[in-house]
Structure formats: structure tokens, C-alpha cells
Amino acid sequence: MKIIKTGGVTTPRGFKAGGTNCGIKANEKSDLAIIYSEVPGGTAILTTTNEVKAAPILWCKDVIANPYKQAVVVNSGNANACTGQAGITAVAATAKKMAEALGLKPEDVLVASTGVIGVALPVEKILSGIDVLVPKIGNTSEDGRLAANAILTTDTGVKTIGVEVEIQGKLVKIGGMAKGSGMIHPNMATMLSFVTTDVNIEPALLQKLLKETTIDTYNMISVDGDTSTNDMVTVMSNGMAGNDKLEEATTDYEIFKEAFVFVHKTLAKKIIRDGEGATKFIEVEVYGTKTKNEARILAKAVITSNLVKTALFGEDANWGRVLCALGYSGVEFDPLKVSLIFSSQAGMITLLKDGVPIAFKEDEAKKVLSETDINISVDLKDGDEKAVAWGCDLSYEYVKINGDYRS
Amino acid sequence: MKIIKTGGVTTPRGFKAGGTNCGIKANEKSDLAIIYSEVPGGTAILTTTNEVKAAPILWCKDVIANPYKQAVVVNSGNANACTGQAGITAVAATAKKMAEALGLKPEDVLVASTGVIGVALPVEKILSGIDVLVPKIGNTSEDGRLAANAILTTDTGVKTIGVEVEIQGKLVKIGGMAKGSGMIHPNMATMLSFVTTDVNIEPALLQKLLKETTIDTYNMISVDGDTSTNDMVTVMSNGMAGNDKLEEATTDYEIFKEAFVFVHKTLAKKIIRDGEGATKFIEVEVYGTKTKNEARILAKAVITSNLVKTALFGEDANWGRVLCALGYSGVEFDPLKVSLIFSSQAGMITLLKDGVPIAFKEDEAKKVLSETDINISVDLKDGDEKAVAWGCDLSYEYVKINGDYRS
């Protein structure tokens, strides 16, 4: 697998994209993005499990009955959630406008939104924006970057990825972009993540692969424990790589799958690295559980603990909070068998070995925790399964950002 | 029911208490408390559901097999959790010392600890402290206050309550003290809360009542979503009020129960009002659910949302976050039927009525949210059940306190 440094949603053959400001964000920041495939693409999609679903989520769940899609339009600055019937009408108008501008049917278009909840969507601005943006979309990496930039909210930078694998002598490419930052605690779905690929694959198999992939990628990250009303991940595959259709349980499929998982995991980790107010990237590895799901639950309990997050912000080796979080996760284990290690590129410290606290030097712990990337490794010695979760610390800046988000 | 303003654990007949510094806290702050009943008291106890249980929790779960207890000793500054066999030995030594000093058996003594996790308990300091403190305990309200002060950690003040009801012409009293502040997200139990009463009641009935009471008091509060390793609530009843033994489903029992629930609810709310870094006291009322448990789950989802908490810290009427939290609670409901109101003593604003957002003036919302006590009222119009939860905002100060708790 080759990583394409400037890769993004325009990396695979036949995909165009672009981004612009259509006036939703007051400060002229980009707020409208389009992804377009030259041919209909078999599409997989996962959406939020939140009972309160934004209007665009309802639209996508409806139109995906036919999995062949050709365009995605995304606005930032307004989530079009809790906006009643007006919000639903706005999505339909947006899809209709996209269809007219691109020569498609409205149901060929996926719609996504992110931003403040409960404010009427200024749909006229989006409709005008589509007229402006459609003629400008292109297939360069810069076009992909413009699209990736237009979907951001409190993010501090674009999150893109592009990779290439060889299947049957054909170069198959996967590209993606995501936005994250706040209200990030995906559950069976995710924040906004859009992936494109020119692989030839049956949509049903793509959907299955996406579902499997999210469990150990987007579903293992958390910024603040809040599962959004607008979470969505889509993958469009247009088959233009020219490979024979991928079949499950083949070497070709495994090659593609490895790259596919890498793309989603990379986007998920980029979201965490840019978590609202984050100063640390925290990886929690849990080993030695009876089942993989137990390991996942334990790792997520640690990564979502406000007390663990604030301790790491303060670079304080308050490891008892890790044990506390494991303890209330709901998974049974024997505390007297647990081992715990904090590490970073500055070194490692063992805090607990087989349930016994190990004395450590505060200055060494401080050195380890002063790095940006921190690893917390827990071994329960109760089985052979493991899981990894990713999260960030909880800083003053997180409180600041979210204390006055709407202004 | 009469509220006794200076009430505390010494309010009921036959209870003595006291507090001192025994040297666990470096700054000479009080860190050792004792409660003593002149006669053996039928005792109810609930302890943390956390899989990692502190050594004193294990002791209490063990000795409560016989529900008659006569003393409680509590230290703050060290949780004696994740301390291995040494921690268990330290608890036994503490109970033994208490028994010697008070002429009891070790198993008549309950032990509780709160403070940092994973640091060896300096048990010698506690043993010396018991020698100093036992001769000083007394039955005045000041003695009760000294005990209440000695169990605090990051709390900014004591949390005490005393009430009096008349049963069969006898005055029955209930007193209590609690500590809270951080790692507060009780589940079937609570932080530390110690309640005394001179009522005459069978321990089994007292235990049943305590279990019922915690569901809508301690279990409906949250500071940070972290369920501690040391949570404990105990109630000692010494029967010295002289009433005939209380029987369930009688008027006498109902009179006592009302006062009992009031005592625990008051302590629970005092914990929230003094939540770490809290600037707001938030009450979330959820109405119109099919079951009471659904209402509880929904109310707790709102009260524990970091995004709701930071918005209220910022006095920002970002009500979409309330809907978002309801939505990911796991309870099914129809978002198009929901009504939502924010209120305080400065007024009220309706934000959502039957699923339709209601325009509001930002300056009016700011006025309502600038108060200290904020009420969030949600009506799902899906049934007749309701529940209330209490929480606090998430401030810079919370991050500061927890970024460097051990120093």
C-alpha cells in the first residue's frame, strides 16, 4: 500500500470535488462542499444512532435504498437538526438543485450538514452556492483540499487521506476527508467522513466492509462522549480502476480491505488529534480480556473519563483514575491481576504490576507525560483479546470553545 | 417535618462525633472523622458498583453480614484504593484500633476512605489519630460539624443536614453528612454519605428503604460521570427515640420515609452545589415518558453531557445539545413531540414546543442563564412518568482542579 501525501476525495479516478463560501458562516470561511463521481457509484453509508436525527440524515437513510449515488453536497455552519418540517423541505430542495446542476436525479444525491443545532437552515444561500460551485469542481488534489476545508467547524485543519494498492495489476485508489472536533463519540457511525474509491465492488459487500471497519476505527474514538445528531460516513465506489469485481475472502479483497481500514483509521485518528481544545493524543490499549468487545468497552471507558482526560492535560500521573474508569465500565475483572503502563517517546513507566502499585519518580512520569502522544497500556491477564481506543485530553480550551460555541 | 439548621450526624439521640487532623493531609486540614453510637445501631449500607473497590469498601461489605454497628471511622486525603494487600491490612488495623479505643469488637466498626487512589495509606497516622480523637468526640452540633469537615477533599464546605419528625408522640431525628465534589456519578450507591437516626426500625427494612431512596437521590446526580472506587452511604439507627418498631406501609413509616428521603436528597443536592469548579446548579426535569426509568435515563443523559455543561458555564442557550443528549440516551422517543424550557428565578424561555423551535431573544436567554440555579424542563408527551436529575456546569476551574489533583 502506498500513501499519497496530497491525497483526498479526488485521488481515485473519476471523482471531482470543490468547496466555497455560500454565506452560512459569517466570516467568509468555506461552508459548502461537493463531491461528484463521473459515473454512478455503489455507495455504503452509516448514520448516527442518535434518536434525534438531522434532516439530511433522514434523507440519506431514505435514498440509500438504491445504493448507486453520484454526488454528495455538504454544508458546515448549520446542522439542520431539530429544524422540523422546514429542515426536511430544505434538504429536498438542496438535492433537487444539485440534480439540476449536475444532470442527475435528486435521489442520486447525498446531503450532509454540520454546525449548530436548532437554527433554521438558510437554504437559499446553499442553492445559490451550488450554482456557483458546480462549474468550479475539479479532480486535482487542490480541489479535494477545498472540499475538505469547507466541511470544517471548530476543526483547526483539514483531515484528508489518499492511498493506492495494486489489485489484478490495476492501481486501485481510496481517498477520504473528514471533519470532527466536537460532539465526537461515534456509535455505529461517525462524525462526517466521506471516502471515495475507484475500486469495482458490489455495494452490499462495501456496506458490510464499512460496518466492520467502523467498529475498530470511528467507534473507538471519543472527544467528549456526545454522539451527534449528524454523524455520517459514506463511501462511494465508481469501479473506474477497472479491476474484476472484488469477491469476499480473496487475496484481492484482503489487499483492498487493509487499505480501506487504514484510510478510515487514519481519518478517525486525525479527528482525535484535532479534538476541541486537545493538547494530547491519547491511545489506550487494553490487553488480556476474554472477549474483544470487553476490551473495546474497557478502552473506551478510559478514553472518555473526564478525570483521566484532565489528569493528562495536567501531565499528572494520577493512574488511579484509569483503574477507576476500568472499574465502572461494566466489565468484570480481577483488579489484583491488572498491570498498567504509561509511555511516550520520552520513555515508559510501570505504575501497576499484577495489581501491585510500583513506586515511580514524579520527575520521570512528568517527562513521559509532557509529550504530545501518550500511550496507556492495560493488561488484565484474563484472556487473549485486545482493543485500542483513541482520545484526547480535556483542556481549558475545550471549555472555552464550548462555553460560547454559537457566537 | 422540622429542619434543624445546625443539624448533623450528632442530631439524633446517642450519637457522638468528631474530627481532627492526623497528618495525612500535609496542610493540617482535618482528615479523620469518627461517628459513634452509644448503643449498637441497626445499619444499612450501599457501596460502589465499581469493579475496583477500595479496601474499606471490601471491609464494610464483609462486616455488614451482621447489621448492628456502633462506629464509623473515615479518613480523607487517601482513598486506600488500588493499594493491594497492604491496604486491606491497614483497614483491619484501623478497625481494631477503633474497637480498642471504644470498647467494641473490630467488626462493629465501619471504615471509609476518600482521596487519592493508588498511594499507600499511612496507617500509623490514622492509628495515632484515633487515640487523639476518641477522647474528644461529643454530641454537640459543633462536634458533628468537625466530623463533616474532616471527610472533605476538594469540597469547599461541609454538607450537613438534620431533621425532626413526630412519630407516636416521640421526636424522631435524622442527621447526616456527606462529601462529594469530584468522581461523582453514583450508581446504586454514592460518594461518602453518613446518616444517623434514633428511630427504631428493623435493619432489613432500613436497608430496603435506603436502596429505594438512593435511586432518586444520589443516583440522579452527576458531577463528572466517573463512579468512584470508594462510594458509600451508611445509615445507623440506634432506636433511642423510643418509638415502637416502624412497620412498612403504615402512616408512621411514611412520615419517617418522607424525612429520610428529604435528608438524602438534600445531601445529594449539596454535593452537586459544591461540584468541582461548579458555577451553576442545574436541575433537569423530564416529563411524559412511558416509564420512570426512561425518564431517569433521559435526565441523566442531559446532566452528564459535557457539551450541555460547558454551554451552561458559558450561559449560552445552545439547546440543541439538550436534544442531542436525549437522543443518544438509548431511550426511544419522537423528537417531533418534544417541548423544552429553560428557566431560573430571572424568568423562563420556551425553546422548543411540540418539536418546533421557538424564536427567542438572546438577551432574555442570557438573563435567564446568568442565574446560579438553572432548570431544564423537557416534556416528551409520550406517557405520564417523570424524573429529576441534578448536576453542575463544566468550568475552567474543574479542569484546573483535576489537571493537578495530586499536588
Side-chain angles (χ1 to χ4, degrees):
Chain A
M1 187 185 67
K2 191 178 126 193
I3 295 171
I4 299 160
K5 277 199 176 166
T6 58
V9 290
T10 54
T11 296
R13 287 170 200 81
F15 284 98
K16 291 181 176 175
T20 190
N21 170 266
C22 74
I24 300 173
K25 288 184 182 165
N27 51 11
E28 299 202 359
K29 279 189 181 166
S30 275
D31 52 20
L32 187 69
I34 288 173
I35 306 172
Y36 169 72
S37 173
E38 292 173 15
V39 297
T43 300
I45 184 165
L46 285 173
T47 57
T48 185
T49 53
N50 196 308
E51 195 71 16
V52 178
K53 291 171 175 56
I57 296 285
L58 298 174
W59 170 269
C60 291
K61 284 171 75 79
D62 192 24
V63 300
I64 200 66
N66 175 347
Y68 289 90
K69 299 294 159 227
Q70 216 166 336
V72 186
V73 56
V74 192
N75 76 274
S76 57
N78 186 309
N80 195 12
C82 302
T83 45
Q85 185 56 45
I88 290 167
T89 307
V91 176
T94 302
K96 182 162 173 279
K97 182 70 174 183
M98 279 284 286
E100 285 166 7
L102 290 160
L104 310 171
K105 286 175 291 180
E107 55 268 34
D108 298 334
V109 180
L110 295 174
V111 182
S113 297
T114 179
V116 66
I117 300 174
V119 174
L121 185 74
V123 65
E124 291 303 327
K125 291 180 179 174
I126 292 178
L127 302 186
S128 307
I130 290 170
D131 276 334
V132 173
L133 183 55
V134 164
K136 290 188 189 167
I137 60 173
N139 59 9
T140 67
S141 63
E142 175 60 13
D143 295 314
R145 205 195 59 75
L146 287 172
N149 188 51
I151 64 172
L152 306 182
T153 53
T154 51
D155 306 66
T156 65
V158 299
K159 295 158 188 71
T160 56
I161 175 80
V163 302
E164 186 180 276
V165 287
E166 197 178 313
I167 294 178
Q168 301 153 7
K170 315 278 187 186
L171 287 181
V172 168
K173 294 170 184 175
I174 311 177
M177 65 183 197
K179 66 85 49 184
S181 255
M183 217 177 254
I184 298 294
H185 186 76
N187 187 10
M188 283 315 290
T190 174
M191 51 297 114
L192 296 185
S193 177
F194 304 96
V195 168
T196 55
T197 175
D198 48 22
V199 79
N200 183 14
I201 188 171
E202 198 61 43
L205 183 55
L206 188 65
Q207 179 72 31
K208 187 185 171 208
L209 178 59
L210 178 60
K211 202 163 179 181
E212 287 169 10
T213 302
T214 56
I215 294 171
D216 284 310
T217 57
Y218 304 111
N219 286 3
M220 291 306 283
I221 64 172
S222 181
V223 168
D224 48 22
D226 282 64
T227 300
S228 162
T229 49
N230 289 54
D231 288 347
M232 183 193 296
V233 50
T234 73
V235 184
M236 288 173 79
S237 64
N238 66 9
M240 289 175 75
N243 63 297
D244 296 337
K245 200 161 267 189
L246 282 186
E247 297 289 340
E248 210 176 349
T250 58
T251 309
D252 290 343
Y253 179 76
E254 291 304 319
I255 292 169
F256 178 73
K257 181 180 171 178
E258 189 193 351
F260 187 83
V261 171
F262 177 82
V263 162
H264 289 285
K265 191 177 280 186
T266 302
L267 289 173
K269 288 163 86 168
K270 285 189 183 213
I271 286 168
I272 288 305
R273 207 169 278 284
D274 193 23
E276 284 178 343
T279 74
K280 306 276 185 196
F281 176 84
I282 306 162
E283 181 174 74
V284 177
E285 295 177 292
V286 174
Y287 296 91
T289 58
K290 285 198 195 75
T291 70
K292 196 160 182 60
N293 203 42
E294 283 181 347
R296 290 186 188 117
I297 290 167
L298 288 158
K300 283 203 82 171
V302 175
I303 218 76
T304 54
S305 161
N306 277 354
L307 289 169
V308 171
K309 289 154 69 84
T310 46
L312 289 171
F313 171 63
E315 302 177 351
D316 180 19
N318 197 336
W319 60 269
R321 295 180 177 175
V322 174
L323 265 283
C324 177
L326 295 168
Y328 64 68
S329 69
V331 175
E332 282 183 26
F333 63 93
D334 181 357
L336 297 179
K337 281 161 63 180
V338 177
S339 294
L340 174 65
I341 293 169
F342 285 178
S343 64
S344 71
Q345 62 178 32
M348 67 182 272
I349 37 170
T350 300
L351 301 146
L352 193 67
K353 194 166 168 54
D354 303 330
V356 179
I358 306 294
F360 63 92
K361 293 208 180 87
E362 289 288 347
D363 58 340
E364 280 180 22
K366 192 86 186 170
K367 205 178 82 187
V368 168
L369 296 183
S370 65
E371 294 291 322
T372 302
D373 289 25
I374 309 292
N375 177 286
I376 298 175
S377 176
V378 177
D379 191 347
L380 300 189
K381 300 199 182 66
D382 201 27
D384 296 322
E385 293 294 344
K386 62 172 179 164
V388 189
W390 301 276
C392 55
D393 57 344
L394 173 56
S395 68
Y396 297 129
E397 195 61 20
Y398 176 86
V399 177
K400 186 174 179 202
I401 291 167
N402 286 297
D404 207 12
Y405 175 67
R406 297 183 312 142
S407 330
Chain B
M1 186 185 70
K2 193 179 126 191
I3 296 172
I4 299 160
K5 277 199 176 168
T6 57
V9 291
T10 54
T11 295
R13 287 168 200 81
F15 284 99
K16 291 183 176 176
T20 190
N21 170 267
C22 73
I24 300 173
K25 288 183 180 166
N27 49 11
E28 299 202 359
K29 280 191 181 165
S30 275
D31 52 18
L32 187 70
I34 288 174
I35 307 172
Y36 169 71
S37 173
E38 291 172 14
V39 299
T43 300
I45 184 165
L46 285 174
T47 57
T48 186
T49 54
N50 196 308
E51 194 72 14
V52 178
K53 291 172 175 54
I57 296 285
L58 298 174
W59 169 269
C60 291
K61 284 171 75 78
D62 193 22
V63 299
I64 199 66
N66 175 347
Y68 290 91
K69 298 294 159 227
Q70 218 168 334
V72 186
V73 55
V74 192
N75 77 273
S76 57
N78 186 310
N80 195 11
C82 301
T83 45
Q85 185 56 45
I88 289 167
T89 306
V91 175
T94 302
K96 182 163 174 279
K97 181 71 175 182
M98 278 285 286
E100 286 165 8
L102 290 160
L104 310 171
K105 287 175 291 180
E107 55 268 34
D108 298 334
V109 179
L110 295 174
V111 182
S113 296
T114 178
V116 66
I117 301 173
V119 174
L121 185 74
V123 66
E124 292 303 329
K125 292 181 179 172
I126 292 178
L127 302 186
S128 308
I130 289 170
D131 276 336
V132 173
L133 183 55
V134 164
K136 291 189 190 167
I137 59 174
N139 59 9
T140 67
S141 63
E142 175 60 13
D143 294 315
R145 205 195 58 77
L146 288 171
N149 187 50
I151 66 173
L152 307 181
T153 52
T154 53
D155 306 66
T156 65
V158 299
K159 294 158 189 72
T160 57
I161 175 82
V163 301
E164 187 180 276
V165 286
E166 197 180 313
I167 293 178
Q168 301 154 8
K170 316 277 186 188
L171 287 181
V172 169
K173 295 171 184 175
I174 311 176
M177 66 183 197
K179 65 84 50 184
S181 254
M183 217 178 254
I184 298 295
H185 185 77
N187 188 9
M188 284 314 291
T190 176
M191 53 294 115
L192 297 184
S193 177
F194 304 97
V195 168
T196 56
T197 175
D198 48 21
V199 79
N200 184 14
I201 188 172
E202 198 61 43
L205 183 56
L206 188 67
Q207 179 73 30
K208 188 185 169 209
L209 178 60
L210 177 61
K211 203 163 177 180
E212 287 169 8
T213 302
T214 55
I215 294 172
D216 284 310
T217 56
Y218 304 112
N219 285 4
M220 291 307 284
I221 63 173
S222 180
V223 169
D224 48 21
D226 282 63
T227 301
S228 161
T229 49
N230 288 54
D231 289 346
M232 183 193 295
V233 49
T234 73
V235 184
M236 287 173 80
S237 62
N238 66 9
M240 288 175 75
N243 62 298
D244 296 338
K245 201 161 267 189
L246 281 187
E247 297 290 341
E248 211 176 348
T250 59
T251 308
D252 291 344
Y253 180 77
E254 290 305 318
I255 291 170
F256 179 74
K257 182 180 171 179
E258 190 193 352
F260 187 84
V261 171
F262 178 82
V263 162
H264 289 286
K265 192 176 280 187
T266 301
L267 290 173
K269 287 162 86 169
K270 284 190 183 212
I271 287 168
I272 288 306
R273 209 170 274 284
D274 193 24
E276 282 178 344
T279 74
K280 305 276 183 196
F281 175 83
I282 306 163
E283 180 174 74
V284 178
E285 296 177 292
V286 173
Y287 296 91
T289 58
K290 285 199 195 73
T291 70
K292 197 161 181 59
N293 203 41
E294 283 182 347
R296 291 185 187 115
I297 291 167
L298 288 158
K300 284 203 83 169
V302 175
I303 218 75
T304 53
S305 161
N306 277 354
L307 288 169
V308 171
K309 288 154 69 86
T310 46
L312 289 172
F313 171 62
E315 301 178 351
D316 181 17
N318 197 336
W319 61 269
R321 292 179 178 175
V322 174
L323 265 284
C324 178
L326 295 168
Y328 63 67
S329 68
V331 174
E332 281 184 26
F333 64 91
D334 182 357
L336 297 179
K337 280 160 63 180
V338 177
S339 293
L340 174 65
I341 292 169
F342 285 178
S343 64
S344 71
Q345 62 179 32
M348 66 182 273
I349 37 169
T350 301
L351 301 145
L352 194 66
K353 193 163 169 55
D354 303 331
V356 179
I358 307 294
F360 62 91
K361 294 207 179 90
E362 289 289 346
D363 57 341
E364 280 181 21
K366 192 86 186 172
K367 207 178 79 188
V368 169
L369 296 183
S370 65
E371 295 291 322
T372 303
D373 289 24
I374 308 293
N375 177 285
I376 298 175
S377 176
V378 178
D379 191 347
L380 299 189
K381 300 201 183 63
D382 202 27
D384 296 322
E385 293 294 345
K386 62 171 179 166
V388 190
W390 300 276
C392 54
D393 57 343
L394 173 55
S395 68
Y396 297 129
E397 194 62 20
Y398 176 87
V399 177
K400 187 175 178 199
I401 292 167
N402 286 298
D404 208 9
Y405 176 66
R406 296 183 312 142
S407 325

